[in-house]
Amino acid sequence: MSDLRYPVGEEVVKDELTEDERRAAIAVLAETPARLRAAVEGLNPEQLDTPYRPGGWTVRQVVHHVPDSHMNAYIRCKLALTEDEPTIKPYDQDRWAVLADTRTTPIEVSLVLLDTLHRRWVDLLRSMRPEDFRRSLQHPERGRMTLDTVLNAYAWHSMHHVAHITGLRERMGWR
């Protein structure tokens, strides 16, 4: 792999997914908490504080970032389902990643948060009708996004960050 920033490749934006693509993306979200937990299993504090690439976040920052990001996505989905094309608020993920809670909160807290968050999110996604996935929101930086776009983006985001950690483990020989 030549670019450690994108271990599963760059995100491919899709405005509309097929039923099979939706099912696959929802399955990725359903599996993400267990995959993230497995990716960090047995890591010691020094390993958790190792950047996954030069200039990148530490494993600890990645673990805390995933539920931060996915909470925003879950709320954005609910807004899009209950409002007509709401404009959502972006956030500065790099600034969030250096807040004190990222350094002091045990990663188990974020792993449990991700478990419960994804349970709710996957239940919501599985209850949606095909036309619900065509509902949209306005992202100030990315423009109009359908819920298919959001689903696809966060399935990619899930695999992307798990691969950051598993790739680091492999490169470092951490078993």
Side-chain angles (χ1 to χ4, degrees):
M1 171 191 346
S2 59
D3 191 342
L4 298 177
R5 293 175 303 167
Y6 300 106
V8 297
E10 292 190 50
E11 177 187 355
V12 175
V13 177
K14 289 187 164 189
D15 290 333
E16 190 171 335
L17 301 176
T18 66
E19 282 295 322
D20 286 342
E21 289 170 324
R22 272 187 209 119
R23 269 192 296 280
I26 293 168
V28 167
L29 291 179
E31 297 163 0
T32 294
R35 288 181 186 224
L36 185 61
R37 185 176 292 280
V40 298
E41 186 176 351
L43 294 181
N44 64 42
E46 181 181 334
Q47 292 167 324
L48 290 172
D49 291 326
T50 302
Y52 72 86
R53 67 173 174 86
W57 287 345
T58 66
V59 172
R60 185 182 312 277
Q61 287 173 305
V62 171
V63 170
H64 290 305
H65 162 73
V66 173
D68 283 349
S69 176
H70 291 200
M71 280 189 291
N72 276 282
Y74 172 66
I75 290 168
R76 291 169 180 176
C77 287
K78 291 188 81 142
L79 288 169
L81 288 167
T82 60
E83 299 177 18
D84 291 328
E85 203 163 285
T87 298
I88 56 92
K89 184 173 183 338
Y91 67 99
D92 186 332
Q93 65 181 14
D94 290 321
R95 290 183 72 184
W96 282 37
V98 296
L99 290 173
D101 65 320
T102 301
R103 289 187 308 277
T104 60
T105 304
I107 64 166
E108 181 63 22
V109 173
S110 282
L111 294 171
V112 169
L113 177 57
L114 193 67
D115 284 336
T116 55
L117 171 63
H118 274 235
R119 172 67 193 270
R120 288 278 308 272
W121 195 9
V122 166
D123 285 350
L124 175 67
L125 292 165
R126 287 181 176 154
S127 75
M128 290 168 55
R129 301 172 315 242
E131 59 268 23
D132 294 330
F133 288 94
R134 290 190 286 278
R135 294 189 60 88
S136 61
L137 54 84
Q138 280 292 330
H139 191 295
E141 297 162 355
R142 294 182 65 168
R144 182 180 180 275
M145 298 174 71
T146 66
L147 290 183
D148 268 337
T149 309
V150 172
L151 172 59
N152 189 64
Y154 283 89
W156 171 83
H157 187 259
S158 297
M159 296 182 295
H160 170 72
H161 283 307
V162 169
H164 281 150
I165 298 167
T166 57
L168 174 65
R169 284 187 83 132
E170 186 175 308
R171 290 189 310 279
M172 300 297 284
W174 297 341
R175 301 289 168 219

